[in-house]
RNA sequence: GGUGCGGUAGCCAAGUGGUUAGGCAACGGUUUGCAAAACCGUCAUACGUCGGUUCGAAUCCGAUCCGCACCUCCA
């Protein structure tokens, strides 16, 4: 079955075939780094990270270019507020964004060009557009601007399905609000803007200035990937005008189709509204990492198809704690998967994976898991179905663990079930890989989640250990009233105690 | 006004013409000193509303209601 992806350009799910067999050129619009990256950015980049992992798992060689917008009016304004150099601010925020995206499991793109180091390409592209009659220079009080002439490009609106006359009404109204009109047509957009009174800018044939927002992506895509790419992606909010303008610039210049496929991720919402910096309702990735495990966040994101809206809940508890219930639930599922893997590993006990003739139903789930995940992703990255495969695999794994003791008396059967357990461990890793889940060593996962949950509850492991030890003493003395009292006391502060044959352990409630 | 997206059982969420999605919660079991975890079972013949097409519709067509986004910077 071929890889199938939804294409915004055609509004259909289509078979994906790259221009060069086996090689995929992917360009993803990156972040404007004037502030911390938020959970909505995280969702989009997680989607494309899964796309990359999946395409590679399907045997494609993927070049993934994702830009960093480090030159922009918002950066200049924010820097001014803080009394900082614009490029110093964007460098700092860019590094934090990279760090936070890496933390939530997004692999580093193959290339991450910046506007500040692509000025030559941007100037070159702008000049070519002027020469072709697609752009023109306009005089402003500060110097020279360059605008793209939208009406010179016949295909304008093909991605976002807008017609120029509908757009014009809105654009005219905006102009009445007081902007200086140096454009020949209200729809025209800037390729180059003269430096403002702040003086921040780069040298160019039109004097000191800086690029418009859209031109950078055209220049970077050309430079890093060439004039025709296979997939161009970003958030839903970029369809218009950003991607529409990119198409106009790039295609007017090269005469080639910029991208065969256009993919757009849906929004992360809070209270049914888009999470956005401009609305002030955002939760940063840093906030998420404070409260939840990064893989829990990833599981949460992948639980909804990438094109649909995903609602991010925030809950304020009576005791003053603020939690993200959706992330907590997802994190419990990660606990389940890691715990299942631990149980399988200890059952396998060094045994080699195999396909033994035992526990047929479970063995079938184990054998088919990886391919079923890939098949789910074949269908326009259907990650929720992929996660349902993980759920079934986890259940099969626990069933294997549960059945094993019954086979202890028969060495051949027990050996077989250990082989199956080893296969299940391997299947879990293989099924999770294209999703970027279970990337941590189990010990590391338990260590980091425990440390974080203790911190959030304001608890110390030593205190809990002492109470659990006291309870163990009470249990040995058959003083169950006291043991239960201690359990209740711990439960009240969010600690669950459970007893096993080899002693008691505890866990912080999420 | 223009352009899109979405409304599926208590909650979250797949499914685009005909055979179990999956998860959470709740309840009943197995297990346990009691619990928890894990597993089994129930909730589940659910698909915003009204019409139409069809042997058959959550799925196709028409109308309509509701929510959201984009049309200005936005992942």
């Amino acid at each position: 079955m071929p890889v199938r992806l939804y294409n915004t350009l055609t509004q259909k799910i289509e078979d994906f075939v790259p221009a060069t067999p086996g090689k995929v050129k992917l360009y993803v619009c990156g972040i404007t780094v004037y502030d911390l990256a938020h959970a909505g950015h995280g969702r989009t980049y997680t989607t494309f990270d899964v796309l990359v992992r999946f395409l590679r798992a399907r045997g494609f060689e993927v070049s993934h270019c994702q830009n960093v917008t480090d030159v922009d009016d918002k950066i200049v304004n924010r820097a001014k507020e803080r009394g900082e150099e614009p490029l110093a601010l964007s460098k700092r925020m860019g590094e934090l964004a990279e760090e936070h995206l890496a933390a939530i499991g997004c692999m580093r793109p193959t290339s991450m060009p910046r506007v500040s180091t692509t000025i030559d390409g941007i100037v070159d592209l702008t000049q070519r557009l002027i020469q072709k009659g697609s752009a023109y220079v306009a005089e402003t009080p500060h110097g020279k601007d360059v605008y793209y002439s939208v009406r010179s490009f016949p295909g304008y609106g093909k991605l976002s399905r807008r017609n120029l006359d509908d757009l014009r009404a809105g654009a005219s109204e905006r102009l009445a609000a007081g902007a200086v009109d140096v454009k020949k047509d209200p729809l025209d957009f800037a390729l180059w803007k003269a430096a403002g009174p702040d003086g921040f800018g780069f040298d160019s044939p039109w004097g000191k200035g800086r690029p418009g927002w859209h031109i950078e992506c055209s220049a970077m895509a050309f430079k890093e990937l060439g004039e025709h790419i296979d997939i161009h992606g970003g958030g839903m909010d970029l369809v218009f005008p950003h991607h529409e303008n990119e198409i106009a610039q790039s295609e007017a210049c090269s005469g080639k189709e910029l991208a065969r496929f256009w993919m757009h991720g849906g929004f992360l919402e809070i209270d049914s509204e888009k999470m956005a910096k401009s609305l002030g309702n955002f939760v940063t990735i840093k906030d998420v990492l404070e409260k939840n495990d990064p893989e829990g966040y990833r599981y949460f994101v992948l639980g909804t198809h990438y094109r649909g809206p995903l609602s991010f809940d925030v809950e304020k508890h009576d005791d003053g704690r603020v939690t993200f219930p959706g992330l907590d639930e997802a994190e419990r599922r990660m606990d389940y998967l890691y715990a299942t893997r631990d149980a399988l590993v200890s059952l396998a006990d060094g045994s080699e994976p195999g396909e033994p003739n035992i526990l047929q139903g479970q063995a079938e789930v184990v054998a088919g898991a990886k391919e079923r995940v890939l098949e789910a992703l074949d269908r326009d990255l259907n990650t929720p179905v992929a996660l349902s495969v993980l759920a079934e695999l986890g259940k099969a794994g626990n069933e294997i663990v549960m059945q094993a003791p019954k086979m202890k008396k028969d060495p051949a059967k027990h050996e077989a079930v250990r082989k199956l357990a080893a296969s299940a461990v391997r299947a879990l890793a293989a099924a999770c890989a294209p999703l970027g889940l279970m990337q941590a060593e189990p010990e590391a996962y338990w260590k980091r989640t425990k440390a974080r949950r203790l911190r959030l509850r304001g608890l110390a492991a030593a205190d809990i250990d002492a109470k659990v030890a006291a309870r163990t003493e009470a249990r040995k003395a058959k003083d169950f009233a006291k043991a239960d009292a201690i359990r209740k006391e711990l439960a009240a502060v969010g600690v669950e105690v459970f007893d096993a044959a080899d002693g008691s352990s505890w866990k912080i409630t999420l």
Side-chain angles (χ1 to χ4, degrees):
Chain A
M1 187 160 102
V3 172
R4 291 174 62 75
L5 296 170
Y6 181 84
N7 186 357
T8 307
L9 200 55
T10 57
Q11 292 186 309
K12 286 190 185 87
I13 293 174
E14 302 178 326
D15 289 1
F16 172 70
V17 180
T20 304
K23 296 192 178 180
V24 177
K25 293 179 179 182
L26 167 70
Y27 185 94
V28 179
C29 285
I31 306 179
T32 299
V33 285
Y34 69 99
D35 205 339
L36 294 175
H38 60 66
H41 295 118
R43 182 188 187 198
T44 295
Y45 299 113
T46 296
T47 296
F48 288 104
D49 180 71
V50 169
L51 175 67
V52 171
R53 288 175 190 265
F54 162 64
L55 288 174
R56 285 181 181 154
R58 275 297 191 216
F60 292 101
E61 187 184 305
V62 182
S63 300
H64 171 197
C65 176
Q66 187 167 303
N67 70 289
V68 176
T69 299
D70 65 345
V71 175
D72 176 89
D73 285 351
K74 282 203 285 277
I75 294 169
V76 173
N77 294 337
R78 182 63 62 88
K80 194 190 265 177
E81 284 169 26
R82 297 194 179 180
E84 194 174 5
E85 284 300 311
L87 286 180
L89 171 71
S90 56
K91 182 167 187 287
R92 197 157 49 81
M93 288 301 170
E95 284 165 359
L96 284 171
E98 265 188 62
E99 190 185 304
H100 294 158
L101 290 178
I104 56 171
C106 294
M107 297 181 299
R108 197 187 156 78
T110 332
S111 63
M112 295 185 78
R114 291 166 175 270
V115 177
S116 61
T117 55
T118 316
I119 299 294
D120 288 353
I122 292 169
V123 166
D124 180 57
L125 185 53
T126 305
Q127 281 182 309
R128 285 166 69 190
L129 285 168
I130 295 172
Q131 278 159 20
K132 285 181 181 272
S134 300
Y136 56 91
V137 178
E139 295 287 345
T140 80
H142 306 297
K144 288 175 179 168
D145 287 354
V146 181
Y147 290 96
Y148 184 92
S149 176
V150 165
R151 286 184 188 273
S152 71
F153 185 69
Y156 196 83
K158 68 180 178 183
L159 180 69
S160 55
R161 264 154 261 279
R162 276 157 224 257
N163 78 59
L164 295 176
D165 298 317
D166 289 338
L167 288 171
R168 185 149 71 166
S172 303
E173 268 174 45
R174 285 196 297 284
L175 267 182
V180 181
D181 186 9
V182 295
K183 299 186 211 176
K184 290 182 182 168
D185 188 294
L187 285 176
D188 294 349
F189 58 90
L191 300 178
W192 190 267
K193 286 187 277 193
D198 55 76
F200 175 68
F202 302 83
D203 292 329
S204 82
W206 314 284
K208 202 171 187 185
R210 48 186 186 255
W213 175 39
H214 316 294
I215 193 70
E216 63 185 70
C217 287
S218 293
M220 290 170 178
F222 277 15
K223 185 179 165 193
E224 302 289 333
L225 300 172
E227 293 180 342
H228 176 77
I229 62 183
D230 298 300
I231 304 172
H232 193 127
M236 210 79 111
D237 44 3
L238 298 185
V239 176
F240 187 90
H242 186 58
H243 287 161
E244 198 68 70
N245 290 353
E246 271 189 65
I247 289 173
Q249 294 159 348
S250 304
E251 298 191 357
C253 186
S254 71
K256 293 177 187 161
E257 182 182 54
L258 172 59
R260 178 72 253 291
F261 276 77
W262 288 83
M263 291 178 68
H264 295 97
F267 297 127
L268 189 65
E269 301 180 338
I270 285 193
D271 295 330
S272 298
E273 272 192 325
K274 171 185 167 190
M275 179 182 287
K277 290 179 194 171
S278 54
L279 292 173
N281 63 352
F282 63 93
V283 171
T284 64
I285 296 174
K286 188 166 172 268
D287 295 333
V288 165
L289 294 172
E290 290 270 315
K291 295 191 193 299
N292 287 93
D293 191 78
E295 293 201 327
Y297 169 78
R298 180 170 278 251
Y299 192 102
F300 169 76
V301 164
L302 300 183
T304 299
H305 183 79
Y306 76 93
R307 284 190 282 115
L310 170 57
S311 137
F312 189 98
D313 301 322
V314 180
E315 188 174 341
K316 292 175 182 169
H317 294 78
D318 294 340
D319 59 9
R321 287 181 310 128
V322 175
T323 60
F324 307 135
L327 295 187
D328 286 342
E329 185 183 324
E331 190 170 329
R332 278 184 227 114
R333 296 304 296 163
M334 287 313 301
D335 279 4
Y336 170 81
L337 291 176
Y338 275 102
T340 302
R341 177 158 89 180
D342 283 350
L344 286 166
V345 165
S346 64
L347 169 59
D349 192 24
S351 180
E352 287 300 310
E355 290 190 25
N357 186 25
I358 196 166
L359 297 176
Q360 290 310 319
Q362 288 79 359
E364 232 169 77
V365 173
V366 167
K370 179 190 172 185
E371 193 50 34
R372 284 175 64 209
V373 166
L374 292 177
E375 280 168 8
L377 298 178
D378 281 339
R379 292 183 286 142
D380 192 28
L381 288 189
N382 197 329
T383 54
V385 168
L387 293 189
S388 78
V389 174
L390 294 189
E392 286 174 23
L393 181 55
K395 188 174 277 191
N398 282 120
E399 282 163 353
I400 292 165
V401 170
M402 197 163 241
Q403 295 298 321
K406 297 177 188 168
M407 299 169 185
K408 268 203 161 155
K409 284 178 185 166
D410 183 335
K413 273 193 176 177
H414 198 244
E415 176 60 25
V417 86
R418 285 172 56 217
K419 270 197 198 315
L420 182 56
S423 300
V425 173
R426 181 176 282 187
L428 204 46
C432 284
L435 301 168
L437 290 172
M438 290 195 89
Q439 299 295 298
E441 289 300 318
E443 311 82 62
Y445 175 82
W446 296 120
K447 195 178 165 190
R448 78 188 186 200
T449 51
K450 189 175 203 174
R452 207 200 62 248
R453 292 170 200 176
L454 281 168
R455 176 172 52 72
L456 288 172
R457 291 277 183 170
L459 299 168
D463 296 344
I464 299 170
D465 285 335
K467 289 209 164 98
V468 170
R471 179 169 170 279
T472 301
E473 286 305 309
R475 289 182 71 223
K476 274 184 186 162
K478 304 270 183 212
D479 184 353
F480 293 119
K482 187 177 177 189
D484 290 348
I486 294 173
R487 192 215 294 282
K488 209 172 175 183
E489 187 192 335
L490 286 168
V493 293
V495 180
E496 271 182 309
V497 184
F498 32 94
D499 306 323
D502 57 349
S504 300
S505 54
W506 55 269
K507 197 173 164 180
I508 310 280
T509 312
L510 267 175

